Amino acid sequence: MTNQSRRQMLFRTGFGLGGLTLSSMMPGGGIFAASAASLVDPLAPKDPHFAAKAKSVIWLHMDGAPSTLDLFDYKPELIRLAGQEVPASFLQGIKTSTQGGVGKLYASNRSWKQYGQSGAWFSDLLPNIAQHADKIAFIKNSKTVGATHDISILKLNTGDVQPGRPSLGAWVAYALGAANPDLPGYVVLYDGNREPTGGSVNWSSGFLPAVYQGTAFRPGDSPIIDLEHPELVSDPQQREELNLLKALNDHRSALRPEDTELQARARSYELAYRMEKSAPEAIDLAKENDATKELYGLNDNATKGYGTNLLRARRLVERGVRFIQVVSGPVADTGGVDRNWDAHSALEKNHGAHTRKVDKPIAGLLQDLKDRGLLDTTLVVWTSEFGRTSYGQSGDGRDHNPWGYTQWLAGGGSKAGYTHGATDEIGLRSIGTGVDTYDLHATVLNLLGLDHLKVTYLRGGRRERPTVVYGDVVRELIA
């Protein structure tokens, strides 16, 4: 008998009794749900808990938090009271972070119109998305905790305000595996010249095995570093080198089965080898026709970067990628400084530039998914870390608002042409219970066929789940 520790023996014989218990919690159920294939390949496809309405998610994060008061949430009373002090009745129970009051009520110079049979309100900043009003399910009573970007973005993506938890995309990859073995199951796309706010912690696998973390594609024509096949190495030579590397890694992994970083690294070499052929084709837009490129705004410098990411997202959906996180990048202001949606001042200029950048590509994505028969099975989520207040200290901008703002869903089994909840008369706080980040995550998982209470991972004797402590599926948002 070879010399091995008790822990290693239990691992090699199916993780022991604790492993059998864990396998019974995995999607698909049953004591042997963690099949031999899934143990060898942690990204092997897994069955959902119940019939899924959506197969993929495109998660559109508007980095910096736009003012949905100036996009979707029409408030005549705010316009009427603009320039006045905020009535005390609206501030009850609200803690403000500013030192000298909250500033006067502010109304931007927007015109508003209702669209579609649903009669949804849109401002003139979003003329293209407005044409798809009847595809959208609005969540107008969104709420969160925290009022700083790093904390609230972390909560938006991971469900917690402390680093270390898996992102929603990582939970999806863990629960469902990868539908395409030649591409990552979870991809992150961003534009601009730097990583989004908070960086890679927002697509981390946290305490889940590292194989489930998001794969970030850089902006530009070569989004994956060093993907090209080495010129001086033949394909058989490369295959032999990988086989040797795999044998060495397997030997080391057998000695330290708890080292998920090593397992993930070993699998990444194999995935990278296959991606040499599959990934360039998946992100290459050369074969897209001129009409499609125009639909996404690729012929306009203002929309090209973001439109390229959305067109790539559609191509990745077609190729079975489960979760695509697209983060909107900054735009240059009149002084040449790159800024995201965080408009504490000069909101008109800021939001004018950002909506010009994203409006046409998002509308193009919705239309393209619809035309290709993909919208029914692709859930598009438009979201941000929080909203913006009805007031602002600067007089021409808005401050951070975690108490009430708008997010929306489209496709993937969501209820088209529907509005859920509302904010008060000046758009400052949600009326009633509100939809927290946990509820949004639970609803997205439900549309993917997953019960968020049953997507669990045993960590230090504690059964962890995506929604951390609480969370309810918003049934009204589901068709």
Side-chain angles (χ1 to χ4, degrees), residues 148-212:
T148 63
H149 293 285
D150 287 348
I151 288 175
S152 295
I153 289 174
L154 196 61
K155 184 172 184 288
L156 171 68
N157 291 315
T158 73
D160 202 357
V161 297
Q162 297 292 335
R165 290 195 65 86
S167 61
L168 182 62
W171 279 112
V172 170
Y174 163 70
L176 294 175
N180 185 337
D182 297 333
L183 288 171
Y186 173 20
V187 171
V188 180
L189 302 168
Y190 61 92
D191 60 307
N193 56 11
R194 63 177 184 266
E195 281 192 349
T197 306
S200 60
V201 69
N202 290 293
W203 52 87
S204 167
S205 60
F207 50 72
L208 293 176
V211 70
Y212 300 115

Side-chain angles (χ1 to χ4, degrees), residues 77 177 200 237 249 342 357:
E77 187 68 0
S200 60
Q237 285 177 311
N249 283 331
D342 192 24
K357 173 180 179 175

Side-chain angles (χ1 to χ4, degrees), residues 303-340:
T303 53
K304 182 178 181 180
Y306 192 70
T308 295
N309 281 342
L310 293 196
L311 183 48
R312 283 175 172 164
R314 187 268 288 165
R315 292 177 63 85
L316 291 170
V317 162
E318 286 181 309
R319 287 153 181 78
V321 176
R322 303 268 193 204
F323 200 98
I324 301 121
Q325 186 171 336
V326 186
V327 188
S328 67
V331 295
D333 65 12
T334 52
V337 178
D338 287 346
R339 300 191 186 280
N340 59 18

Side-chain angles (χ1 to χ4, degrees), residues 2 16 59-60 85 123 189 219 285 305 344 363 367:
T2 57
W59 182 267
L60 304 178
E85 300 291 338
S123 82
L189 302 168
L285 308 184
H344 289 275
Q367 187 62 55

Side-chain angles (χ1 to χ4, degrees), residues 89-296:
S89 59
F90 289 105
L91 296 173
Q92 291 180 6
I94 285 182
K95 278 187 175 182
T96 60
S97 59
T98 52
Q99 290 294 324
V102 297
K104 294 183 179 180
L105 291 169
Y106 170 67
S108 61
N109 185 30
R110 303 270 55 85
S111 60
W112 293 83
K113 185 179 175 181
Q114 288 177 284
Y115 288 82
Q117 294 183 352
S118 62
W121 286 98
F122 287 82
S123 82
D124 55 353
L125 287 172
L126 297 174
N128 293 292
I129 297 176
Q131 302 304 318
H132 301 274
D134 289 339
K135 297 183 178 72
I136 293 174
F138 287 100
I139 310 170
K140 292 201 171 181
N141 60 341
S142 298
K143 67 176 186 178
T144 187
V145 297
T148 63
H149 293 285
D150 287 348
I151 288 175
S152 295
I153 289 174
L154 196 61
K155 184 172 184 288
L156 171 68
N157 291 315
T158 73
D160 202 357
V161 297
Q162 297 292 335
R165 290 195 65 86
S167 61
L168 182 62
W171 279 112
V172 170
Y174 163 70
L176 294 175
N180 185 337
D182 297 333
L183 288 171
Y186 173 20
V187 171
V188 180
L189 302 168
Y190 61 92
D191 60 307
N193 56 11
R194 63 177 184 266
E195 281 192 349
T197 306
S200 60
V201 69
N202 290 293
W203 52 87
S204 167
S205 60
F207 50 72
L208 293 176
V211 70
Y212 300 115
Q213 66 192 351
T215 299
F217 286 11
R218 302 179 309 165
D221 295 332
S222 301
I224 306 172
I225 301 174
D226 298 327
L227 187 64
E228 295 82 5
H229 186 83
E231 290 183 7
L232 301 179
V233 179
S234 68
D235 193 69
Q237 285 177 311
Q238 188 179 23
R239 181 67 266 172
E240 288 178 5
E241 290 176 359
L242 286 170
N243 288 342
L244 175 60
L245 188 61
K246 181 179 184 303
L248 294 172
N249 283 331
D250 286 349
H251 175 72
R252 182 65 177 175
S253 184
L255 297 175
R256 295 187 177 275
E258 72 282 1
D259 186 355
T260 65
E261 289 286 349
L262 177 58
Q263 297 167 31
R265 179 64 61 88
R267 190 185 187 283
S268 72
Y269 291 141
E270 288 295 327
L271 178 58
Y273 175 70
R274 297 195 298 272
M275 282 175 61
E276 286 181 4
K277 295 180 176 62
S278 60
E281 187 278 332
I283 59 177
D284 182 13
L285 308 184
K287 293 183 180 179
E288 298 289 342
N289 62 41
D290 291 343
T292 299
K293 292 177 182 177
E294 174 60 30
L295 186 66
Y296 283 85

Side-chain angles (χ1 to χ4, degrees), residues 355-376:
T355 52
R356 173 162 166 70
K357 173 180 179 175
V358 307
D359 177 45
K360 183 173 182 177
I362 292 175
L365 173 68
L366 295 177
Q367 187 62 55
D368 199 19
L369 290 172
K370 179 69 174 178
D371 292 345
R372 293 170 185 271
L374 293 170
L375 189 60
D376 289 343

